[in-house]
Amino acid sequence: MGGRSWLEVMFLFALTAGPACAGESLTCDTQAVAWNRREYRCPLTADGNERRLRFKVDFSGGHDDTEASMALTLDGEALTCKQGSKTSLFGEDGDVSLECHLVLAGPAGTKRVLGATVKFHHAEFVAIELSAL
C-alpha cells in the first residue's frame, strides 16, 4: 500500500473510531473531527453531590514546535478548570497530555453537558478520557 493510501486509511479510521472515554459510564460523543481540531459533547447527570471529574486528552509525537490547547464549556457556558489542570502546551517532547479538573454539581437527576474543543499542531491525537476522580 502506498504512503498516500496508508494516510487515507488512517484518516478514515480516525474519523470512524469513537473516543476513548472511561469511568462510571461517562461517555463523550464526537461532534467534529479535523486534522488539527476535535470537538466533543459529554452528557452528564448530576447526583446531588459535588463530583470531581477529569477530562484528559493524550497526544504522541510531541517535539519543539508542538502546540495543543483545549477549551471546555458546561451547559454552553465557558468552564474554568480547577487548580492542577493543564489546558495548553507548547514545545513538549514525546507523549504529552492536556487535562481539565472540574466539579459537577446540581440537584440529583439534573442533565448537564460538558463540551470540549481541542486544537493541536505537530502532534498526533491519541485519545480522550472523561473520568470520575
Side-chain angles (χ1 to χ4, degrees):
M1 180 178 285
R4 181 169 169 80
S5 296
W6 179 251
L7 275 175
E8 290 170 357
V9 169
M10 292 304 292
F11 180 67
L12 288 174
F13 175 76
L15 284 176
T16 58
C21 292
E24 291 188 22
S25 298
L26 300 175
T27 60
C28 297
D29 299 317
T30 304
Q31 300 296 298
V33 175
W35 283 107
N36 63 350
R37 179 186 171 106
R38 293 174 186 246
E39 294 180 22
Y40 299 96
R41 181 180 177 273
C42 311
L44 302 169
T45 303
D47 66 3
N49 299 308
E50 289 191 348
R51 293 175 58 202
R52 295 179 341 143
L53 304 174
R54 179 183 71 182
F55 183 86
K56 184 178 178 190
V57 185
D58 293 321
F59 303 94
S60 66
H63 53 281
D64 63 348
D65 63 348
T66 294
E67 294 180 64
S69 65
M70 67 178 174
L72 283 83
T73 61
L74 187 59
D75 300 330
E77 299 291 323
L79 175 72
T80 301
C81 299
K82 301 296 181 195
Q83 185 175 356
S85 298
K86 179 181 178 183
T87 58
S88 65
L89 62 84
F90 179 78
E92 295 183 23
D93 291 327
D95 295 336
V96 296
S97 299
L98 298 175
E99 62 181 55
C100 177
H101 297 269
L102 61 131
V103 174
L104 179 68
T110 303
K111 301 294 183 190
R112 313 291 303 267
V113 177
L114 178 68
T117 300
V118 180
K119 298 177 184 178
F120 53 97
H121 179 72
H122 284 200
E124 183 177 334
F125 174 83
V126 174
I128 64 166
E129 177 185 10
L130 178 61
S131 57
L133 299 177

